[in-house]
Amino acid sequence: MAYRTVLIEENKMMMERLTSVVRNLAGFEVSARYATAGDALGQMQAFNPDLILVDVDNEHNALLIPDLKRNIPGAVIICLARRWDSEAQAKLLHMGAKGYMVKPFTGEELLETVKNVSRSSLSAYSKVISFFSPKGKSGKSTLIANLGTVLAAKTNEPVAVIDADTQFGDMTVFFNLTPQSTIVEAVRDISFLSPVTLRTYFTDTGRNLQVLCGTSKPDMAETITIEGFTSLVKMSRNLYKYILIDIPSGFSDISATACELSDKTIITTMVNGGYEVQHMKRALEIFKAWDHYQERLDLLFTRVNPFTEEQRDKLSKQIGYPVKYIIPNEYLLVSEAADNGRMAVTRDPDSQFSKAVENLADSIIAGE
């Protein structure tokens, strides 16, 4: 059975272009075409459409979304615009639309959007987590790669890792990837993308897990604008249930922006016999400027030895703030797994490291 499709578009050239795309897509047919949503109301019921594609660059059409939904409650409404807008999308979804696409689009893009229409409101409950380190060599990239693997396996939900460490991103190495696109191209093109086309910039690593790889050269970091990065994160919420962002060590425009955009920021520091506790305390003082920082901020130490609750309590007392997570020192396991292109959590799921990462994943899933 073909999708009975109603097209609403007042630009005649665009109407013809979209009509051709729909008619040439297997499983779809064009039942009716209208210049405006006002024209469609009261007439399209006779066609009993399954799918309504409506141009929302026309503000009057956007205002009539609730009426379209009320008249044909069983139809899927997908909004069309020349540019993606996160605020406009959120408003239109609230009004009854199920998707948002940038026009013109290909048949493959339309098909993908319709297939994933049940995720059109994913952004309402997606969770973005940034991992911030006051200094380098914190173990956060290792942790993120393993955590993403566990989250994808446990939840069967789409999970993304965004490598925003613009100087020394390591995700291509951890996952043994050869990406066709990186964060540089995604930010460069973001104003022309929609969620369905943004997905192609991410690289598959396995079931339910995709990575947006970091820059191939450190000097390309200058091309990543804050505005583009912000749009990238917001658009990614429409694709993934969990988004883990690996950000540069220390405070920078990118790291500050990522933390502000995140539902949770995890400050990550490695126990290495130096000044890690002092670095953690200094970073914590800066983040305390946030409203409700206790709800948005967690502390995590890696390479903790001895790996005991007593040691976690000791670190908490030293800092004057609860250390929520500790990860044991299993350097040999982690390094051997990475050398073989595998994650430690899959190489030895019963290790202390794997169990600690699993507990972190469980806490994130539970919304703690």
Side-chain angles (χ1 to χ4, degrees), residues 172 177-186 188-189 197-203 211-216:
T172 54
L177 302 176
T178 305
Q180 298 298 309
S181 302
T182 71
I183 191 173
V184 172
E185 289 77 31
R188 179 196 65 196
D189 299 342
T197 50
L198 173 62
R199 189 192 298 274
T200 63
Y201 289 71
F202 285 77
T203 304
V211 175
L212 182 60
C213 295
T215 59
S216 56

